[in-house]
């Protein structure tokens, strides 16, 4: 009777202790600063913060998983991926901040 109680307690402790060792619990749970457009077909995406994400998923369900080093540190500090929507927004932002041109009057001819 004591042996069976001991074995049950040991098994319960082992199960609860092992759950903390799973890779899913230790992996970075971050998401991109902004998601790429639905038309983006690349396998790797770098968000505006410079962090790298890899496309994963099954049957059209796309998940962006952070790319990590062997020591499970997320890779960051890269040049952001340029997408069509980012390119379309950039010229609009530049024209909005450009100062308006002023036309100077033509010099008067003195005779």
């Amino acid at each position: 009777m004591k042996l069976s109680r001991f074995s049950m307690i040991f098994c319960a402790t082992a199960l609860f202790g092992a759950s903390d060792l799973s890779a899913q619990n230790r992996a970075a749970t971050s998401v991109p600063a902004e998601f790429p457009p639905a038309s983006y077909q690349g396998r790797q995406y770098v968000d505006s913060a410079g962090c790298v994400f890899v496309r994963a998923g099954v049957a059209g369900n796309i998940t962006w998983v952070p790319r990590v080093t062997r020591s499970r540190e997320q890779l960051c500090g890269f040049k952001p991926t340029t997408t069509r929507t980012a390119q379309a927004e950039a010229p609009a932002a530049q024209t909005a901040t450009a100062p308006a041109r002023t036309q100077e009057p033509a010099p008067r001819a003195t005779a």
Side-chain angles (χ1 to χ4, degrees):
M1 181 111 152
K2 288 185 180 187
L3 183 60
S4 65
R5 271 192 198 165
F6 177 73
S7 62
M8 288 179 63
I9 292 172
F10 177 76
C11 289
T13 306
L15 285 174
F16 289 121
S19 66
D20 291 339
L21 299 178
S22 66
Q24 285 80 15
N25 290 340
R26 288 188 288 152
T29 57
S30 64
V31 294
E34 67 285 327
F35 289 95
S39 61
Y40 183 73
Q41 296 298 317
R43 297 187 70 196
Q44 182 170 295
Y45 175 72
V46 181
D47 65 358
S48 62
C51 296
V52 182
F53 293 86
V54 180
R55 179 191 299 267
V58 177
N61 295 329
I62 298 172
T63 303
W64 291 99
V65 180
R67 189 168 178 190
V68 296
T69 62
R70 289 180 186 230
S71 60
R72 300 210 184 269
E73 295 175 5
Q74 187 171 0
L75 291 174
C76 290
F78 291 87
K79 181 180 176 187
T81 302
T82 306
T83 60
R84 288 184 185 174
T85 56
Q87 290 173 349
E89 292 172 3
Q94 290 175 356
T95 57
T97 59
R101 288 188 176 182
T102 57
Q103 188 174 10
E104 296 180 19
R108 294 185 184 174
T110 54

